[in-house]
Amino acid sequence: MKILSVIGARPQFIKCAPLSRELRKSHEDILVHTGQHYDHNMSDVFFKELGIPEPDYNLGIGSATQGEQTGKMLTAIEKLLINEGPDMVLVYGDTNSTIAGSLAASKLHIPVAHVEAGLRSFDRTMPEEINRIVTDHVSDLLFCPTETAVTNLGNEGITEGVHNVGDVMMDALQYNIKIAGDKSTILDDLGLSHQDFMIATVHRASNTDSIENLSSIVKAFCSVDTNIVFPVHPRTEKYLRQYGLWDKLSEHVNVISPVGYLDMLKLMSSSRKILTDSGGVQKEAYMLGVPCITMRDNTEWVETVDDGWNILVGADCGMIVDAIDGFKGAGVKGNVFGSGDACDKICTILKESS
Ligand code: UD1
Ligand code: UDP
């Protein structure tokens, strides 16, 4: 089968690495990078260290408002699909690259496969929630990472082509965790020891685009007695500077540039607790058995909260501080994200459907 995969943002490179490797064993996989993320440490680093093939096309769309960015992608992907004529378009997750790929394909009557289908935060102020809903409703094959995702789709009347295959991020983590242990020198580079710090990531629009929320998060980080390593997403850096918060970060908050996946795995697995508003990082914390403090009011990854490994604290300074000091994380973990064979299962289903 001729598959055209659309990727464009950091988490999609990580998800695509194990699946593309598996896909190429039995299918033609044309890789399209929309260019949504373009800095070296938001894009190239993942292709290099995870062995993702050079994209066949880079659309170079770059940053813009929601509509402009999605519109430019839609136009460019449509042209490409007409020229390439793939049998199927594969999209990942919930970014603007996802919705552009799925919309362009479905309007040309090209079947769409959605990896990480069925997730819902039930918060339509998130651009990602709109991307998820639209993509799921135009997809023909829906690869769910969890049973909750299957239920969410059922509640919206989507039952055909739905498969719970587990999470491709589990495959990525299992494949890379030992490599990260062997190769990453990040702890030495930053002068850190195992468990003497907490890692933090922040990039969700609800936190970065609100001076109240971002100030509250910064205040919380600065007022605790714990070393915090903070690889700063470019969106967050922009707003930290714009709001005059950049220079207010205390010395124990170690601000660094975004890191590659291997360094990230090393940092997360050595961290006492993880502070984040990222979707992927919440899951990885659970997979690694590290307590997670999520600076959001809701999550798509409800199992991590239900099992006691994740706590939702919003952007509330007091709640963040309390969780940094007191949240422990539970002792039991279920097998909610599968066992690391999601890519294998996806390829089998794709083969059967061709
Ligand atoms: C996007 C996704 C989000 C995902 C995140 C992963 C959407 C709507 N959002 O959010 O779901 O969790 O990626 O990281 O698709 N920028 C750079 N260099 C880059 C990339 C971005 O400087 O390489 C800056 C630009 O100022 C840009 C801003 O970051 O305007 C936001 O980038 P964008 O891709 O629009 O959204 P993210 O916040 O990264
Ligand atoms: N990540 C990374 N380097 C960083 C921050 C995150 O490699 O500096 C990885 C992280 O381990 C996870 C993925 O990026 O695999 C999550 O991406 P992000 O938080 O940007 O997006 P989300 O998952 O929220 O869509």
Side-chain angles (χ1 to χ4, degrees):
M1 185 154 46
K2 181 170 174 176
I3 296 171
L4 187 143
S5 301
V6 179
I7 54 177
R10 172 167 70 185
Q12 294 167 331
F13 309 137
I14 293 162
K15 288 166 198 166
C16 149
L19 184 52
S20 183
R21 190 167 42 240
E22 200 60 37
L23 274 180
R24 281 162 195 255
K25 292 180 186 165
S26 39
H27 301 282
E28 183 185 355
D29 183 30
I30 301 166
L31 210 50
V32 178
H33 186 332
T34 62
Q36 177 169 350
H37 286 174
Y38 43 85
D39 290 347
H40 173 81
N41 54 18
M42 294 295 290
S43 176
D44 288 0
V45 66
F46 299 101
F47 285 81
K48 290 210 173 74
E49 70 176 13
L50 303 180
I52 308 168
E54 190 72 20
D56 296 278
Y57 299 93
N58 190 324
L59 306 178
I61 303 294
S63 305
T65 59
Q66 294 289 321
E68 187 182 344
Q69 187 183 53
T70 310
K72 281 182 175 166
M73 288 178 191
L74 191 58
T75 309
I77 295 171
E78 182 182 63
K79 266 196 198 119
L80 201 62
L81 293 180
I82 291 168
N83 286 339
E84 283 286 349
D87 300 308
M88 178 157 283
V89 168
L90 190 77
V91 295
Y92 293 83
D94 55 16
T95 72
N96 289 345
S97 300
T98 316
I99 193 175
S102 60
L103 259 188
S106 62
K107 291 203 167 205
L108 291 169
H109 309 139
I110 300 169
V112 177
H114 184 200
V115 177
E116 216 176 71
L119 276 302
R120 297 291 182 269
S121 64
F122 303 101
D123 174 2
R124 288 198 183 198
T125 64
M126 291 179 79
E128 293 85 357
E129 185 76 351
I130 310 295
N131 295 341
R132 293 176 195 126
I133 293 168
V134 174
T135 297
D136 285 338
H137 281 263
V138 299
S139 289
D140 300 272
L141 283 175
L142 299 103
F143 295 120
C144 297
T146 61
E147 215 34 58
T148 306
V150 174
T151 305
N152 289 339
L153 291 176
N155 290 340
E156 293 175 21
I158 304 174
T159 50
E160 269 178 46
V162 175
H163 304 271
N164 181 0
V165 292
D167 200 309
V168 296
M169 286 187 74
M170 179 65 104
D171 298 32
L173 184 139
Q174 284 186 359
Y175 187 88
N176 287 294
I177 190 77
K178 187 171 179 317
I179 301 174
D182 292 343
K183 282 195 177 166
S184 171
T185 58
I186 189 89
L187 294 187
D188 287 346
D189 297 347
L190 297 176
L192 299 167
S193 319
H194 187 66
Q195 298 262 305
D196 76 347
F197 68 96
M198 294 185 193
I199 184 165
T201 79
V202 179
H203 74 277
R204 203 56 64 199
S206 58
N207 285 330
T208 59
D209 301 16
S210 152
I211 187 166
E212 287 80 23
N213 287 355
L214 200 55
S215 304
S216 174
I217 290 169
V218 166
K219 192 170 163 207
F221 288 6
C222 291
S223 54
V224 291
D225 189 18
T226 298
N227 288 327
I228 294 179
V229 176
F230 186 13
V232 179
H233 188 290
R235 173 189 202 105
T236 314
E237 175 169 351
K238 185 175 88 178
Y239 284 105
L240 284 169
R241 290 189 187 281
Q242 194 172 303
Y243 302 152
L245 295 167
W246 185 260
D247 296 325
K248 293 197 176 141
L249 287 159
S250 320
E251 223 158 74
H252 69 269
V253 183
N254 189 357
V255 173
I256 58 173
S257 298
V259 294
Y261 182 59
L262 298 180
D263 284 343
M264 190 64 189
L265 283 180
K266 184 75 186 174
L267 285 168
M268 288 189 295
S269 56
S270 303
S271 184
R272 234 168 38 243
K273 294 176 193 172
I274 293 175
L275 289 144
T276 197
D277 60 10
S278 155
V281 173
Q282 288 176 65
K283 286 189 282 181
E284 287 164 341
Y286 183 92
M287 293 171 196
L288 293 166
V290 179
C292 186
I293 299 163
T294 296
M295 296 172 287
R296 283 177 51 186
D297 297 323
N298 51 53
T299 181
E300 311 75 66
W301 306 104
V302 288
E303 298 83 355
T304 61
V305 176
D306 293 346
D307 283 358
W309 284 93
N310 189 3
I311 185 169
L312 300 177
V313 294
D316 184 284
C317 177
M319 286 177 74
I320 298 170
V321 171
D322 286 350
I324 289 175
D325 291 338
F327 179 62
K328 297 268 186 298
V332 197
K333 269 196 302 155
N335 194 22
V336 285
F337 297 114
S339 45
D341 57 358
C343 296
D344 192 38
K345 287 183 176 155
I346 290 172
C347 285
T348 305
I349 295 164
L350 285 173
K351 211 178 258 173
E352 285 165 5
S353 77
S354 63

